[in-house]
Amino acid sequence: ANICAVETVALTRVRVEVARVDAIDRMALAVAGATGVWEAAPRVLHLVMGSDAPAVGAALAELSTAVPAGATR
């Protein structure tokens, strides 16, 4: 999977660490409700999701092999 880690930050954003930034479909993220997507660091994206950020972060973590910040598997 491309998602390595997921964390909800600042109540409105989801921080996603990915293996390959070039594999990200930014249009699909916009369709899913992201009002902004930016590369905060190499391989780290911030998705601006508004008040849905905690739910989106949890869903991304469930759909991936990522471990949410503070959790263990």
Side-chain angles (χ1 to χ4, degrees):
N2 194 35
I3 297 175
C4 301
V6 177
E7 179 181 10
T8 302
V9 294
L11 301 177
T12 60
R13 295 191 314 262
V14 179
R15 179 186 179 276
V16 182
E17 181 181 340
V18 296
R20 294 183 43 221
V21 172
D22 63 325
I24 300 300
D25 185 343
R26 291 174 186 260
M27 183 62 72
L29 291 171
V31 169
T35 58
V37 177
W38 78 91
E39 194 170 343
R43 298 181 37 234
V44 177
L45 300 175
H46 278 222
L47 313 178
V48 180
M49 302 302 300
S51 61
D52 291 334
V56 170
L60 284 173
E62 284 294 319
L63 291 173
S64 72
T65 59
V67 176
T72 60
R73 288 194 189 209

Coordinates of all heavy atoms in Angstrom, one line a residue:
A1 N 0.8 -1.2 0.0 CA 0.0 0.0 0.0 C 0.9 1.2 0.0 O 2.0 1.2 0.5 CB -0.9 0.0 1.2
N2 N 0.4 2.3 -0.5 CA 1.1 3.6 -0.6 C 1.1 4.3 0.7 O 2.0 5.1 0.9 CB 0.6 4.4 -1.8 CG 1.5 5.5 -2.2 OD1 2.7 5.4 -2.1 ND2 0.9 6.6 -2.5
I3 N 0.1 4.2 1.5 CA 0.0 4.9 2.7 C 0.8 4.3 3.8 O 0.7 3.1 4.1 CB -1.5 5.0 3.2 CG1 -2.3 5.8 2.2 CG2 -1.5 5.7 4.6 CD1 -3.8 5.9 2.5
C4 N 1.8 5.0 4.4 CA 2.7 4.5 5.4 C 2.2 4.9 6.8 O 2.4 4.2 7.8 CB 4.1 5.1 5.2 SG 4.8 4.6 3.6
A5 N 1.6 6.1 7.0 CA 1.2 6.6 8.3 C 0.1 7.7 8.1 O 0.1 8.4 7.1 CB 2.3 7.2 9.1
V6 N -0.8 7.7 9.0 CA -1.9 8.7 9.0 C -2.1 9.3 10.4 O -2.0 8.6 11.4 CB -3.3 8.0 8.7 CG1 -4.4 8.9 8.7 CG2 -3.2 7.2 7.3
E7 N -2.3 10.6 10.4 CA -2.5 11.4 11.6 C -3.4 12.6 11.4 O -3.2 13.3 10.4 CB -1.1 11.9 12.1 CG -1.2 12.6 13.4 CD 0.1 13.1 13.9 OE1 1.1 13.0 13.1 OE2 0.2 13.6 15.0
T8 N -4.4 12.7 12.2 CA -5.3 13.9 12.2 C -4.5 15.0 12.9 O -4.1 14.8 14.0 CB -6.6 13.7 12.8 OG1 -7.2 12.6 12.1 CG2 -7.5 14.9 12.7
V9 N -4.4 16.2 12.3 CA -3.7 17.3 12.9 C -4.6 18.6 12.7 O -5.3 18.8 11.8 CB -2.3 17.6 12.2 CG1 -1.4 16.4 12.5 CG2 -2.4 17.8 10.7
A10 N -4.4 19.5 13.7 CA -5.1 20.8 13.7 C -6.6 20.7 13.5 O -7.1 21.7 12.9 CB -4.4 21.7 12.7
L11 N -7.2 19.7 13.9 CA -8.7 19.5 13.8 C -9.3 19.5 12.4 O -10.4 19.0 12.2 CB -9.4 20.5 14.6 CG -9.0 20.6 16.1 CD1 -9.8 21.8 16.8 CD2 -9.4 19.3 16.8
T12 N -8.6 20.0 11.4 CA -9.1 20.1 10.1 C -8.3 19.4 9.0 O -8.7 19.4 7.8 CB -9.3 21.6 9.7 OG1 -8.1 22.2 9.7 CG2 -10.3 22.3 10.6
R13 N -7.1 18.9 9.4 CA -6.2 18.3 8.4 C -5.9 16.9 8.7 O -5.9 16.5 9.9 CB -5.0 19.1 8.3 CG -5.1 20.5 7.8 CD -3.8 21.2 7.4 NE -2.8 21.0 8.5 CZ -2.5 21.9 9.4 NH1 -3.2 23.1 9.4 NH2 -1.5 21.7 10.2
V14 N -5.6 16.1 7.7 CA -5.0 14.8 7.9 C -3.7 14.7 7.3 O -3.5 15.1 6.1 CB -5.9 13.7 7.2 CG1 -5.4 12.3 7.3 CG2 -7.4 13.8 7.7
R15 N -2.7 14.3 8.1 CA -1.3 14.2 7.6 C -1.1 12.8 7.2 O -1.4 11.8 7.9 CB -0.3 14.5 8.8 CG 1.1 14.4 8.4 CD 1.9 14.6 9.7 NE 3.3 14.5 9.4 CZ 4.0 13.3 9.4 NH1 3.4 12.2 9.6 NH2 5.3 13.3 9.1
V16 N -0.7 12.6 5.9 CA -0.5 11.3 5.4 C 0.9 11.1 4.8 O 1.3 11.9 4.0 CB -1.5 11.0 4.2 CG1 -1.4 9.6 3.7 CG2 -2.9 11.3 4.7
E17 N 1.6 10.1 5.4 CA 2.9 9.8 4.8 C 2.8 8.7 3.8 O 2.1 7.7 4.1 CB 3.9 9.3 6.0 CG 5.3 9.0 5.5 CD 6.2 8.5 6.6 OE1 5.9 8.8 7.7 OE2 7.2 7.9 6.2
V18 N 3.3 8.9 2.6 CA 3.1 7.9 1.6 C 4.5 7.4 1.1 O 5.5 8.1 1.2 CB 2.4 8.6 0.4 CG1 0.9 8.9 0.8 CG2 3.1 9.8 -0.2
A19 N 4.5 6.3 0.4 CA 5.7 5.7 -0.1 C 6.0 6.4 -1.5 O 7.2 6.7 -1.7 CB 5.5 4.2 -0.4
R20 N 5.0 6.8 -2.2 CA 5.2 7.4 -3.5 C 4.2 8.5 -3.7 O 3.0 8.3 -3.9 CB 5.0 6.4 -4.7 CG 6.1 5.3 -4.7 CD 5.9 4.3 -5.9 NE 5.6 5.1 -7.1 CZ 4.7 4.7 -8.0 NH1 4.0 3.5 -7.8 NH2 4.5 5.3 -9.1
V21 N 4.7 9.8 -3.7 CA 3.8 10.9 -3.9 C 3.3 10.9 -5.3 O 2.1 11.4 -5.6 CB 4.6 12.3 -3.6 CG1 3.8 13.5 -4.0 CG2 5.0 12.3 -2.2
D22 N 4.1 10.4 -6.3 CA 3.6 10.5 -7.7 C 2.4 9.5 -7.9 O 1.7 9.6 -8.9 CB 4.7 10.1 -8.6 CG 5.3 8.7 -8.4 OD1 5.3 8.2 -7.3 OD2 5.7 8.1 -9.4
A23 N 2.1 8.7 -7.0 CA 1.0 7.8 -7.1 C -0.3 8.4 -6.6 O -1.4 7.7 -6.7 CB 1.3 6.4 -6.4
I24 N -0.3 9.6 -6.0 CA -1.5 10.2 -5.4 C -2.3 10.8 -6.5 O -1.9 11.5 -7.4 CB -1.0 11.3 -4.4 CG1 -0.2 10.7 -3.3 CG2 -2.2 12.1 -3.9 CD1 -0.9 9.7 -2.5
D25 N -3.6 10.5 -6.4 CA -4.6 11.0 -7.4 C -5.3 12.2 -6.7 O -6.2 12.1 -5.9 CB -5.7 10.0 -7.7 CG -6.7 10.4 -8.7 OD1 -6.8 11.6 -9.0 OD2 -7.3 9.5 -9.3
R26 N -4.7 13.4 -7.0 CA -5.2 14.6 -6.3 C -6.7 14.9 -6.7 O -7.4 15.5 -5.9 CB -4.3 15.8 -6.6 CG -2.9 15.6 -5.9 CD -1.9 16.7 -6.3 NE -0.6 16.4 -5.8 CZ -0.1 17.0 -4.7 NH1 -0.8 17.9 -4.1 NH2 1.1 16.7 -4.3
M27 N -7.1 14.6 -7.9 CA -8.4 14.8 -8.3 C -9.4 14.0 -7.5 O -10.4 14.4 -7.0 CB -8.6 14.6 -9.8 CG -10.0 14.9 -10.3 SD -10.5 16.6 -10.2 CE -9.5 17.3 -11.4
A28 N -9.0 12.7 -7.3 CA -9.8 11.8 -6.4 C -9.9 12.4 -5.0 O -11.0 12.3 -4.4 CB -9.3 10.4 -6.4
L29 N -8.9 12.9 -4.5 CA -8.9 13.5 -3.1 C -9.9 14.7 -3.1 O -10.6 14.9 -2.1 CB -7.5 13.9 -2.7 CG -6.5 12.8 -2.4 CD1 -5.1 13.3 -2.2 CD2 -7.0 12.0 -1.2
A30 N -9.9 15.5 -4.1 CA -10.8 16.7 -4.2 C -12.2 16.2 -4.3 O -13.1 16.7 -3.6 CB -10.5 17.5 -5.4
V31 N -12.5 15.1 -5.1 CA -13.8 14.6 -5.2 C -14.3 14.0 -3.8 O -15.4 14.1 -3.5 CB -13.9 13.5 -6.3 CG1 -15.2 12.7 -6.2 CG2 -13.7 14.1 -7.7
A32 N -13.3 13.5 -3.1 CA -13.6 12.9 -1.7 C -13.8 14.0 -0.7 O -14.1 13.6 0.5 CB -12.5 11.9 -1.3
G33 N -13.6 15.2 -1.0 CA -13.8 16.3 -0.1 C -12.7 17.1 0.4 O -12.8 18.1 1.2
A34 N -11.5 16.8 -0.1 CA -10.3 17.6 0.3 C -10.4 18.9 -0.4 O -10.5 19.0 -1.6 CB -9.0 16.8 -0.1
T35 N -10.4 20.0 0.4 CA -10.4 21.3 -0.2 C -9.0 21.8 -0.4 O -8.8 22.9 -1.1 CB -11.1 22.3 0.8 OG1 -10.5 22.3 2.0 CG2 -12.6 21.9 0.9
G36 N -8.0 21.1 0.0 CA -6.6 21.4 -0.3 C -5.7 20.2 0.0 O -6.0 19.4 0.8
V37 N -4.7 20.1 -0.8 CA -3.7 19.1 -0.7 C -2.3 19.7 -0.9 O -2.1 20.3 -2.0 CB -3.9 17.9 -1.7 CG1 -2.8 16.9 -1.6 CG2 -5.3 17.3 -1.6
W38 N -1.4 19.5 0.0 CA -0.1 20.1 -0.2 C 1.0 19.1 0.4 O 0.7 18.4 1.3 CB 0.1 21.5 0.2 CG 0.3 21.7 1.7 CD1 1.5 21.8 2.3 CD2 -0.7 22.0 2.7 NE1 1.3 22.0 3.7 CE2 -0.1 22.1 3.9 CE3 -2.1 22.0 2.6 CZ2 -0.8 22.4 5.1 CZ3 -2.8 22.3 3.8 CH2 -2.1 22.5 5.0
E39 N 2.1 19.2 -0.3 CA 3.2 18.3 0.2 C 4.0 19.1 1.3 O 4.7 20.1 1.0 CB 4.2 18.0 -1.0 CG 5.1 16.9 -0.7 CD 5.9 16.4 -1.9 OE1 5.4 16.7 -3.0 OE2 6.9 15.7 -1.7
A40 N 3.8 18.7 2.5 CA 4.4 19.4 3.6 C 5.9 19.1 3.8 O 6.6 19.9 4.3 CB 3.7 19.1 4.9
A41 N 6.3 17.9 3.3 CA 7.7 17.5 3.4 C 7.8 16.3 2.3 O 6.7 15.9 1.8 CB 8.0 16.9 4.8
P42 N 9.0 15.9 2.0 CA 9.0 14.8 1.1 C 8.2 13.6 1.6 O 8.4 13.2 2.7 CB 10.5 14.5 1.0 CG 11.2 15.8 1.4 CD 10.3 16.4 2.4
R43 N 7.3 13.1 0.7 CA 6.5 12.0 1.0 C 5.4 12.2 2.1 O 4.8 11.3 2.6 CB 7.3 10.7 1.4 CG 8.3 10.3 0.3 CD 9.1 9.1 0.7 NE 8.4 8.1 1.5 CZ 8.8 7.7 2.7 NH1 10.0 8.1 3.2 NH2 8.1 6.8 3.4
V44 N 5.2 13.5 2.5 CA 4.2 13.8 3.5 C 3.2 14.8 2.9 O 3.6 15.9 2.5 CB 4.8 14.4 4.8 CG1 3.8 14.8 5.8 CG2 5.8 13.4 5.4
L45 N 1.9 14.4 2.9 CA 0.9 15.3 2.4 C 0.0 15.7 3.5 O -0.3 14.9 4.5 CB 0.0 14.5 1.4 CG 0.7 14.0 0.1 CD1 -0.3 13.2 -0.7 CD2 1.3 15.1 -0.7
H46 N -0.5 16.9 3.5 CA -1.6 17.4 4.4 C -2.8 17.5 3.5 O -2.8 18.2 2.5 CB -1.2 18.7 5.0 CG -0.3 18.6 6.2 ND1 -0.5 19.3 7.3 CD2 0.8 17.8 6.4 CE1 0.5 19.0 8.2 NE2 1.2 18.0 7.7
L47 N -3.9 16.9 4.0 CA -5.2 17.0 3.3 C -6.1 17.9 4.1 O -6.3 17.6 5.3 CB -5.8 15.6 3.2 CG -5.0 14.4 2.7 CD1 -5.8 13.2 2.7 CD2 -4.4 14.8 1.3
V48 N -6.6 19.0 3.5 CA -7.5 19.8 4.3 C -8.9 19.3 4.1 O -9.4 19.3 3.0 CB -7.4 21.3 3.7 CG1 -8.3 22.2 4.5 CG2 -6.0 21.8 3.8
M49 N -9.4 18.8 5.2 CA -10.7 18.1 5.1 C -11.8 18.8 6.0 O -12.9 18.3 6.0 CB -10.6 16.6 5.7 CG -9.6 15.8 4.9 SD -9.9 15.6 3.1 CE -11.4 14.8 3.1
G50 N -11.5 19.9 6.6 CA -12.5 20.5 7.5 C -12.8 19.7 8.7 O -12.0 18.9 9.1
S51 N -14.0 19.8 9.2 CA -14.4 19.1 10.4 C -14.5 17.6 10.2 O -14.6 16.8 11.2 CB -15.8 19.6 10.9 OG -16.8 19.4 9.9
D52 N -14.4 17.1 9.0 CA -14.5 15.7 8.7 C -13.1 15.0 8.8 O -13.0 13.8 8.7 CB -15.0 15.4 7.2 CG -16.4 15.7 7.1 OD1 -17.2 15.7 8.1 OD2 -16.8 16.1 5.9
A53 N -12.1 15.8 9.2 CA -10.7 15.3 9.2 C -10.6 14.1 10.1 O -9.9 13.1 9.7 CB -9.7 16.4 9.6
P54 N -11.1 14.1 11.4 CA -10.9 12.9 12.2 C -11.5 11.6 11.6 O -10.9 10.5 11.6 CB -11.6 13.2 13.5 CG -11.6 14.7 13.6 CD -11.7 15.1 12.1
A55 N -12.7 11.7 11.0 CA -13.3 10.6 10.3 C -12.6 10.1 9.1 O -12.4 8.9 8.9 CB -14.8 10.9 10.0
V56 N -12.1 11.1 8.3 CA -11.3 10.7 7.1 C -10.0 10.0 7.5 O -9.6 9.0 6.9 CB -11.1 12.0 6.3 CG1 -10.1 11.7 5.2 CG2 -12.4 12.5 5.7
G57 N -9.3 10.6 8.5 CA -8.1 10.0 9.0 C -8.3 8.6 9.5 O -7.5 7.7 9.2
A58 N -9.4 8.3 10.2 CA -9.7 7.0 10.7 C -10.0 6.0 9.6 O -9.5 4.9 9.5 CB -10.9 7.0 11.7
A59 N -10.7 6.5 8.6 CA -11.1 5.7 7.4 C -9.8 5.4 6.6 O -9.7 4.2 6.2 CB -12.1 6.4 6.6
L60 N -8.9 6.3 6.4 CA -7.7 6.1 5.7 C -6.9 5.0 6.4 O -6.3 4.1 5.8 CB -6.9 7.3 5.5 CG -7.4 8.3 4.4 CD1 -6.6 9.6 4.4 CD2 -7.4 7.7 3.0
A61 N -6.8 5.1 7.7 CA -6.0 4.2 8.5 C -6.6 2.8 8.4 O -5.9 1.8 8.2 CB -5.9 4.6 9.9
E62 N -7.9 2.7 8.4 CA -8.6 1.4 8.2 C -8.4 0.8 6.9 O -8.3 -0.4 6.7 CB -10.1 1.5 8.5 CG -10.4 1.7 10.0 CD -10.1 0.4 10.8 OE1 -10.4 -0.7 10.3 OE2 -9.5 0.6 11.9
L63 N -8.4 1.6 5.8 CA -8.2 1.1 4.5 C -6.8 0.8 4.1 O -6.6 0.2 3.0 CB -8.8 2.2 3.5 CG -10.3 2.4 3.5 CD1 -10.7 3.5 2.6 CD2 -11.0 1.1 3.1
S64 N -5.9 1.2 4.9 CA -4.5 1.0 4.6 C -3.8 0.1 5.6 O -4.4 -0.4 6.6 CB -3.8 2.3 4.5 OG -3.6 2.8 5.9
T65 N -2.5 -0.1 5.5 CA -1.8 -0.8 6.5 C -1.1 0.2 7.4 O -0.3 -0.2 8.2 CB -0.7 -1.6 5.8 OG1 0.2 -0.8 5.0 CG2 -1.3 -2.7 4.9
A66 N -1.5 1.5 7.3 CA -0.9 2.5 8.2 C -1.3 2.3 9.6 O -2.4 1.8 9.9 CB -1.4 3.9 7.7
V67 N -0.5 2.7 10.5 CA -0.8 2.7 11.9 C -1.1 4.1 12.4 O -0.2 5.0 12.2 CB 0.4 2.1 12.8 CG1 0.1 2.2 14.2 CG2 0.7 0.7 12.3
P68 N -2.3 4.5 12.9 CA -2.6 5.8 13.3 C -1.6 6.2 14.4 O -1.1 5.4 15.2 CB -4.0 5.8 13.8 CG -4.6 4.5 13.2 CD -3.4 3.6 13.0
A69 N -1.3 7.5 14.4 CA -0.4 8.0 15.5 C -0.9 7.6 16.8 O -2.0 7.8 17.1 CB -0.2 9.5 15.4
G70 N 0.0 7.1 17.7 CA -0.3 6.8 19.0 C -0.9 5.4 19.2 O -1.2 4.9 20.3
A71 N -1.1 4.7 18.1 CA -1.7 3.4 18.1 C -0.7 2.3 17.8 O 0.3 2.6 17.2 CB -2.9 3.2 17.1
T72 N -1.0 1.1 18.1 CA -0.1 0.0 17.8 C -0.9 -1.1 17.2 O -2.1 -1.2 17.4 CB 0.7 -0.6 19.0 OG1 -0.3 -1.0 20.0 CG2 1.6 0.5 19.6
R73 N -0.3 -2.0 16.4 CA -1.0 -3.1 15.8 C -0.3 -4.4 16.2 O 0.8 -4.4 16.4 CB -1.1 -3.0 14.3 CG -2.0 -1.9 13.8 CD -2.3 -2.1 12.3 NE -3.0 -0.9 11.9 CZ -3.9 -0.9 11.0 NH1 -4.1 -2.0 10.3 NH2 -4.5 0.2 10.6

